[in-house]
Amino acid sequence: MTTVLAIVIVYFIAMFAIGYWANRRVKSSKDFLVAGQTLGFFVMAIASFSSIQSGFGMIGHTSNTNAWGIQAIVAAALLVPLAFALAWFLLGARLYKIARVHDVHSIPDIIRIRYKSRGAHFAMSIAIFVGSVAYMTSQITAMGVIMALIFDIEIATGAMIGAAVVAAYTIAGGMLAAIWTDLIQGLLMIGMSLIAFFVATSTVGGWSSMLNTIAQSDPSFLQVDGTQSMGWIFGFVYLAILGGAAQPQLATKFLMLRNASELRWGALVAAVGYSITALFALGIGLATRALTIEGRAPGFDNYDNTTTWFLDNMTNTTFAGFALAGLLAAIMSSASSFITIGASALTRDLMGSLGRVLRRELLWYRLASAFVVACSLVFALYLTQVVFLLGAIGWAAFASAIFAPVVIGIFWKRATGLATIIAVAFGILGNLALTVLAREELITVPEYMQDGATIISLSVVLFLVISVVAPSKRDQELFVLAYTPDPGGTASTSEPAASPAAH
């Protein structure tokens, strides 16, 4: 236990050091929200994959692999790297150009420039804030579990400690701190995942022996369509790829690059990094299943315990400490980005959509960051039903709300602000409604359908239909202006001059 504590404490010290370093360099909103637009491709690529590969990705995929086999990895992990290629080659150059000719620091800012609609700007600001709090709530809950295991404390206490650590360095250094901690965390995740794969497979005699053990017990466990229909698998792949490309913690990073040439190799680096970290779930998930077949591991009532059981029972304390630090890195790398994204949505974006301009921006961003963490902590600790509801506003909801207005909108001149408002509202509320209705058994979703993929598809269709049925000549003109410097002032909205917000 002493070794585990030492490793984790060293990790925390490194995060605080980066936060202190970033704090001394953050002088403006540009520094706080988009890291001063100074990122090179390697830092941006590693930070991108590590913010996508969250605690759910490391722990959840491991649990799913143990529960329903190799198709869990195929559906939700091995093909996710395609999302990086889609994001880089579809979004990268255009988002970079928009950021350079306009004052763009966030996804709602892109909506503001593309459509100049306060309604669309407001809707996206609310969606990003709610989604950020939802993601943060799940990350804080995961931090509580890991911290409780490390320090032998209550989960609630662990959640508070973990939230305090990630809040401290993020509030101090904003996105600049988030990016550089993501770099360290991403490299740690890569190293830990490689070692974990070989450690896990060695516990059951190696890769071939492990597969033979599983195949003799249940051959379907190693088949792509073993326990779920191919329609469901394709739906999950569709959700993973389109959803990944539309996640704000990824798309926002294209606004931070120092020059366009940095786009060249980023997709490859991010994809390779993510693929390596998928080995963690593949190795431990399958190895634990083989151990259960051999009678050396229990039959799990709750598969979410797969990772913690394996580390606690099948590894030495040094590796366990290294692995737990890597899991914390996965959780915190996502959390830090969403703190800053949520803070921007609540202050700069929401206030801008209401026609107000903030003064003393850095102070407000830091206060809003603390508010995002506080809301998430309260939901995680005291409002369990809210946690369930917020859980519905996650990956799929972000993808449903963002994909059409941003990914399609920056390419299609006929896209409209009205379609954006409706698509964003449907993306958030549709996912929430479907989850609640299915949970209460008021509706039955066919087994071959993936909920999130269905809502994304409907959101895209809704966006396209409304844009065609209710065209806007003004929005078509704005499409061209989005890539043209605004001589009248890039930070302005389409509405009358804004009044200052209260100090």
Side-chain angles (χ1 to χ4, degrees):
M1 180 59 69
T2 302
T3 303
V4 175
L5 290 175
I7 292 173
V8 173
I9 289 172
V10 168
Y11 165 74
F12 283 165
I13 292 173
M15 298 302 100
F16 285 133
I18 293 174
Y20 175 77
W21 167 84
N23 178 257
R24 294 176 61 86
R25 285 160 176 76
V26 170
K27 306 298 183 184
S28 66
S29 61
K30 183 178 178 181
D31 294 330
F32 193 89
L33 299 179
V34 288
Q37 294 181 327
T38 59
L39 297 189
F41 87 91
F42 184 79
V43 175
M44 186 267 197
I46 297 296
S48 295
F49 102 75
S50 64
S51 63
I52 291 290
Q53 183 65 289
S54 64
F56 172 77
M58 301 293 283
I59 299 174
H61 292 335
T62 304
S63 305
N64 289 340
T65 302
N66 185 17
W68 43 279
I70 195 73
Q71 61 185 253
I73 291 294
V74 173
L78 293 185
L79 296 179
V80 170
L82 293 177
F84 296 113
L86 180 65
W88 252 264
F89 300 121
L90 197 61
L91 297 178
R94 294 213 170 197
L95 291 186
Y96 171 81
K97 184 173 182 180
I98 291 173
R100 289 293 164 160
V101 299
H102 298 283
D103 186 24
V104 171
H105 295 166
S106 64
I107 296 297
D109 260 351
I110 295 169
I111 297 299
R112 170 178 62 83
I113 293 297
R114 171 62 182 88
Y115 303 105
K116 292 196 181 297
S117 161
R118 282 189 174 173
H121 191 190
F122 178 84
M124 187 62 78
S125 299
I126 294 295
I128 294 294
F129 173 71
V130 172
S132 296
V133 172
Y135 262 102
M136 272 298 298
T137 300
S138 65
Q139 300 308 310
I140 286 176
T141 302
M143 277 191 279
V145 174
I146 299 299
M147 296 291 286
L149 185 64
I150 295 171
F151 293 102
D152 192 24
I153 56 179
E154 295 293 326
I155 291 178
T157 305
M160 288 187 281
I161 294 173
V165 171
V166 72
Y169 69 74
T170 306
I171 292 172
M175 191 59 80
L176 189 62
I179 288 292
W180 284 95
T181 53
D182 282 356
L183 172 66
I184 302 301
Q185 290 159 344
L187 295 175
L188 176 60
M189 290 158 60
I190 288 172
M192 181 270 289
S193 298
L194 280 171
I195 298 173
F197 177 79
F198 291 107
V199 168
T201 54
S202 69
T203 63
V204 285
W207 177 256
S208 297
S209 175
M210 178 182 71
L211 294 183
N212 287 334
T213 298
I214 296 172
Q216 289 173 11
S217 174
D218 184 2
S220 68
F221 199 80
L222 300 179
Q223 297 173 2
V224 174
D225 59 347
T227 59
Q228 300 286 348
S229 69
M230 286 305 298
W232 192 92
I233 296 298
F234 283 128
F236 216 117
V237 170
Y238 173 80
L239 171 64
I241 295 175
L242 294 191
Q247 293 302 297
Q249 71 272 34
L250 173 57
T252 301
K253 289 181 173 60
F254 292 114
L255 309 177
M256 306 178 192
L257 291 172
R258 62 189 173 202
N259 57 64
S261 65
E262 304 293 349
L263 289 166
R264 186 172 303 170
W265 297 105
L268 178 62
V269 173
V272 170
Y274 188 97
S275 298
I276 292 174
T277 59
L279 292 175
F280 181 89
L282 180 66
I284 294 180
L286 293 182
T288 306
R289 168 61 64 158
L291 289 169
T292 299
I293 294 170
E294 294 175 352
R296 298 162 60 194
F300 291 89
D301 294 327
N302 183 357
Y303 284 100
D304 288 341
N305 296 328
T306 298
T307 302
T308 52
W309 179 89
F310 184 87
L311 294 177
D312 196 36
N313 292 275
M314 302 302 296
T315 64
N316 59 47
T317 55
T318 300
F319 176 74
F322 179 50
L324 290 170
L327 292 175
L328 279 175
I331 296 167
M332 290 184 173
S333 60
S334 295
S336 59
S337 291
F338 278 108
I339 291 172
T340 307
I341 290 170
S344 173
L346 185 62
T347 51
R348 172 189 173 91
D349 299 319
L350 186 59
M351 291 296 102
S353 71
L354 297 174
R356 300 176 68 83
V357 177
L358 288 175
R359 295 176 179 173
R360 302 179 66 185
E361 292 178 314
L362 286 179
L363 173 62
W364 282 109
Y365 294 153
R366 290 187 167 114
L367 290 174
S369 297
F371 182 71
V372 170
V373 176
C375 287
S376 304
L377 189 59
V378 169
F379 293 152
L381 295 181
Y382 303 112
L383 301 174
T384 55
Q385 287 303 309
V386 174
V387 172
F388 161 71
L389 294 176
L390 288 176
I393 308 173
W395 184 281
F398 263 146
S400 303
I402 293 174
F403 188 85
V406 176
V407 180
I408 296 177
I410 63 175
F411 283 92
W412 190 38
K413 67 186 300 182
R414 294 189 65 178
T416 68
L418 174 62
T420 295
I421 295 171
I422 295 174
V424 170
F426 179 80
I428 297 297
L429 298 177
N431 276 284
L432 183 60
L434 183 61
T435 302
V436 172
L437 292 175
R439 180 176 185 262
E440 298 299 323
E441 299 183 348
L442 296 175
I443 62 172
T444 300
V445 179
E447 292 183 359
Y448 57 83
M449 291 179 60
Q450 211 290 327
D451 299 358
T454 301
I455 296 297
I456 292 176
S457 299
L458 292 175
S459 176
V460 170
V461 170
L462 197 60
F463 180 83
L464 296 175
V465 169
I466 293 172
S467 293
V468 171
V469 171
S472 168
K473 183 177 180 181
R474 177 174 179 271
D475 285 331
Q476 294 182 38
E477 295 171 348
L478 289 172
F479 174 81
V480 177
L481 295 177
Y483 301 98
T484 306
D486 181 2
T490 60
S492 63
T493 68
S494 60
E495 306 295 335
S499 59
H503 286 270

